[in-house]
Amino acid sequence: MDFELRQAREKLEREQRERMQRAKAKAESERRAKAEAARRREALEASHRERRLDAARAQEEADQKMEEVMQLGKRVSFSRMFEALRYDGPGDKIKLPPSSFKELSDEGALDKGPMYFRLSKVRDTVPGAAMEQDAEATCCGVLEFTAREGSAELPLHVWNNLFRSDTPEVPLIEVKYISLPKGTYAKLKPEGAGFSDLPNHRAVLETALRNHATLSENDTVVVNYGQLQYKLKVLELKPASSVSVLETDVEVDIEGSDSVLDNEEDQHVLVPLVIGNIESSVVEEGKFRYYKFSVEENVSEKVASGRANIEVKIDTDASGGDTDIYVSRHPLVFPTQHRHEWSSHEMGSKVLILKPRDATLVGGVYSIGVYGFKGTSKYQLSVAIKDVNSQRIGEYASASGSVDVDSVLCKNCKRHIASRSAHLHEAYCMRHNVTCPHDGCGVVLRKEEAAHHVHCNKCGRAYQQREMEKHMKVFHEPLQCPCGVVLEKEDMVQHQSSTCPLRLIVCRFCGDTVHAGGEPADVRDRLRNMSEHESICGSRTAPCDSCGRSVMLKEMDIHLIAVHQKS
């Protein structure tokens, strides 16, 4: 009995010890877990605290930097909220209401030179609530004070940079007067490919920036070149994040190589083409693929002297597709159906011989445009310099020019035939050949080919029947010029190269690539073959280097001859 009681007591004590040990282990484990959780929580809070401090420091630095810029406009406190309206105009100069002019005049802003403003979106418009500003902001100049009261009119450049993501139903903006430092450096990066392919693209960018009063980091600048449009993002500015570009020389750095052929089907990109190499590609109907190649000086001398030809060859896969080829010499960068120097519209494969009109303008850069006329076409394009074999040409000319004295003229094919075989030839010729009855043609054809030989009822040119549909579409389908004129192809080529007001020219006075405009109002300027832009641009005055008098640029050469006897 005592033995059983002792065993039961020992068992109970053992179980109690085990329960105590388990409870102690559990408590220790919970303590360690709580300590680990507290350590992790402290580490997380420290990390969040450090991030908040970094964000606060960054915000403080940004506010301090902006405050430094804003302090430049001290003594003029102009800050108003307007409803933003959009108007179609170049550059970054906005229109403000007349009341703003009075306020700025009373503050003395008109005496401080050009006026600049910082525009920011207003996010919270609840009456009585605090006004918060969106991170999207930009700077601008002012064009005039003709907007209706309570509104500010923004050009496309300012509107697109201020409302990048979306446009609210009632776009409210805050307009604040600031003074900006003159810019000394700007780094820009094209958003797409092809900008560096433009001849003298830095001058094109400089022309576009002449319509701007300010530049701000992260803004997008739009550069127009004819019908093409390029976007460049402002990456960096000095000495501040927003600068004035009026009456200052800014060093411009265009970052990155934009010749990477990303998404090239949707952009105007010139693919480099090496003379003698073959380039294979595919072009879809209604689209262009562009290439460029260079002609060196040693080659240009051979071509100018007639000892060689520039030959552009395109071999098209006969699978239902068809292409046209257009070639131009820079500064015409992207040839089109009605802006080019050479073209070929034959069906299938074709060879185009480039013969420059001016022998002194052979060397340089050429552009090739392969146009998908019908279907999706696979092609192989190549450019070669082919020597002219003058001996074979001379032999052929002498053989064709000689006429046998003992010969008669065939009445059917109009060829000189030896008298001894004239009757046999005429019998064969009348049975198998037929002369085209079209006035001025007279081509001798095989009778089985005569049914496919047709003439255009508009221009009278001879083509195969299968080529007539393409000829009518290419040469006689009316085309509309961006200036509004509707002409056929050949007239359109002449129009856009000589009389179109939207054609691009290099101004002889300012050196910029600009739209020519219409005819100048001054008869003397028309006689001097000036465009409307050159007539206006040449009316600016500059001091004469010899006498210091102010003379109009377009009269400077006459002034030098008449007054200073300089030829």
Side-chain angles (χ1 to χ4, degrees), residues 154-354:
L154 315 183
L156 294 178
H157 168 80
V158 178
W159 182 279
N160 293 333
N161 284 305
L162 194 58
F163 301 102
R164 293 189 180 97
S165 54
D166 58 347
T167 303
E169 294 182 2
V170 182
L172 295 180
I173 60 172
E174 183 187 24
V175 179
K176 183 176 293 186
Y177 176 89
I178 59 172
S179 291
L180 296 178
K182 291 185 179 295
T184 58
Y185 173 79
K187 180 188 291 185
L188 296 91
K189 182 177 182 180
E191 293 185 355
F195 180 70
S196 65
D197 289 327
L198 299 180
N200 202 5
H201 57 277
R202 290 182 178 274
V204 175
L205 175 61
E206 180 183 349
T207 302
L209 292 180
R210 288 182 179 177
N211 294 320
H212 289 252
T214 67
L215 280 181
S216 299
E217 291 182 357
N218 297 321
D219 276 3
T220 299
V221 178
V222 177
V223 178
N224 294 310
Y225 185 82
Q227 304 303 315
L228 305 180
Q229 190 177 84
Y230 299 93
K231 295 182 178 180
L232 293 87
K233 186 174 183 179
V234 182
L235 300 182
E236 182 183 352
L237 294 170
K238 293 180 182 179
S241 58
S242 296
V243 298
S244 167
V245 293
L246 294 178
E247 299 178 356
T248 181
D249 292 330
V250 181
E251 179 186 354
V252 178
D253 184 15
I254 301 177
E255 186 186 73
S257 174
D258 56 2
S259 60
V260 180
L261 305 180
D262 296 334
N263 197 20
E264 61 185 25
E265 290 81 3
D266 299 330
Q267 302 183 55
H268 287 75
V269 180
L270 293 175
V271 181
L273 189 63
V274 179
I275 294 179
N277 291 359
I278 297 177
E279 182 75 22
S280 300
S281 188
V282 179
V283 63
E284 298 179 2
E285 182 175 344
K287 292 187 176 181
F288 271 97
R289 293 294 298 271
Y290 288 105
Y291 301 86
K292 66 177 179 180
F293 68 93
S294 300
V295 176
E296 304 298 335
E297 285 298 327
N298 56 345
V299 177
S300 65
E301 293 177 0
K302 293 178 61 178
V303 175
S305 62
R307 292 180 286 116
N309 286 330
I310 305 174
E311 180 180 287
V312 180
K313 182 179 180 182
I314 182 169
D315 293 322
T316 307
D317 185 10
S319 58
D322 192 17
T323 61
D324 292 334
I325 186 169
Y326 302 94
V327 183
S328 65
R329 187 178 182 276
H330 287 196
L332 179 54
V333 185
F334 299 104
T336 62
Q337 293 96 323
H338 39 76
R339 286 297 308 276
H340 57 267
E341 295 186 54
W342 304 274
S343 64
S344 178
H345 306 88
E346 298 177 4
M347 298 185 66
S349 301
K350 50 187 76 71
V351 177
L352 184 61
I353 305 298
L354 308 185

Side-chain angles (χ1 to χ4, degrees), residues 267-524:
Q267 302 183 55
H268 287 75
V269 180
L270 293 175
V271 181
L273 189 63
V274 179
I275 294 179
N277 291 359
I278 297 177
E279 182 75 22
S280 300
S281 188
V282 179
V283 63
E284 298 179 2
E285 182 175 344
K287 292 187 176 181
F288 271 97
R289 293 294 298 271
Y290 288 105
Y291 301 86
K292 66 177 179 180
F293 68 93
S294 300
V295 176
E296 304 298 335
E297 285 298 327
N298 56 345
V299 177
S300 65
E301 293 177 0
K302 293 178 61 178
V303 175
S305 62
R307 292 180 286 116
N309 286 330
I310 305 174
E311 180 180 287
V312 180
K313 182 179 180 182
I314 182 169
D315 293 322
T316 307
D317 185 10
S319 58
D322 192 17
T323 61
D324 292 334
I325 186 169
Y326 302 94
V327 183
S328 65
R329 187 178 182 276
H330 287 196
L332 179 54
V333 185
F334 299 104
T336 62
Q337 293 96 323
H338 39 76
R339 286 297 308 276
H340 57 267
E341 295 186 54
W342 304 274
S343 64
S344 178
H345 306 88
E346 298 177 4
M347 298 185 66
S349 301
K350 50 187 76 71
V351 177
L352 184 61
I353 305 298
L354 308 185
K355 293 183 178 180
R357 299 180 182 88
D358 190 346
T360 62
L361 298 177
V362 178
V365 182
Y366 292 74
S367 296
I368 302 175
V370 179
Y371 177 70
F373 178 78
K374 181 180 179 182
T376 300
S377 305
K378 298 180 180 179
Y379 63 88
Q380 291 183 331
L381 180 68
S382 63
V383 178
I385 307 298
K386 295 294 184 69
D387 292 334
V388 177
N389 194 332
S390 57
Q391 183 177 0
R392 290 184 56 188
I393 294 176
E395 291 175 356
Y396 176 78
S398 61
S400 61
S402 61
V403 177
D404 190 357
V405 177
D406 188 18
S407 64
V408 295
L409 184 67
C410 176
K411 299 178 182 179
N412 189 46
C413 65
K414 309 301 181 185
R415 291 174 56 192
H416 288 273
I417 308 298
S419 301
R420 59 181 179 275
S421 58
H423 295 289
L424 183 62
H425 168 80
E426 286 189 359
Y428 180 86
C429 187
M430 295 292 292
R431 188 167 60 250
H432 293 89
N433 298 334
V434 62
T435 303
C436 177
H438 190 274
D439 186 23
C441 181
V443 175
V444 179
L445 304 164
R446 303 283 294 179
K447 285 188 176 181
E448 57 269 19
E449 298 174 354
H452 303 290
H453 178 79
V454 293
H455 286 264
C456 176
N457 55 8
K458 288 192 172 184
C459 62
R461 296 176 183 173
Y463 291 94
Q464 292 291 318
Q465 182 67 50
R466 60 187 179 88
E467 298 176 339
M468 185 54 64
E469 180 182 356
K470 181 176 182 180
H471 168 76
M472 295 298 294
K473 184 175 180 63
V474 171
F475 287 90
H476 301 299
E477 186 175 87
L479 302 171
Q480 183 169 6
C481 181
C483 70
V485 176
V486 178
L487 298 169
E488 292 184 357
K489 177 185 180 298
E490 293 185 346
D491 293 333
M492 182 64 74
V493 171
Q494 180 66 23
H495 165 74
Q496 291 206 345
S497 62
S498 59
T499 61
C500 178
L502 299 180
R503 72 187 187 278
L504 293 177
I505 63 168
V506 178
C507 177
R508 67 183 77 178
F509 301 112
C510 64
D512 294 338
T513 302
V514 295
H515 293 295
E519 287 191 348
D522 193 335
V523 177
R524 294 175 300 173

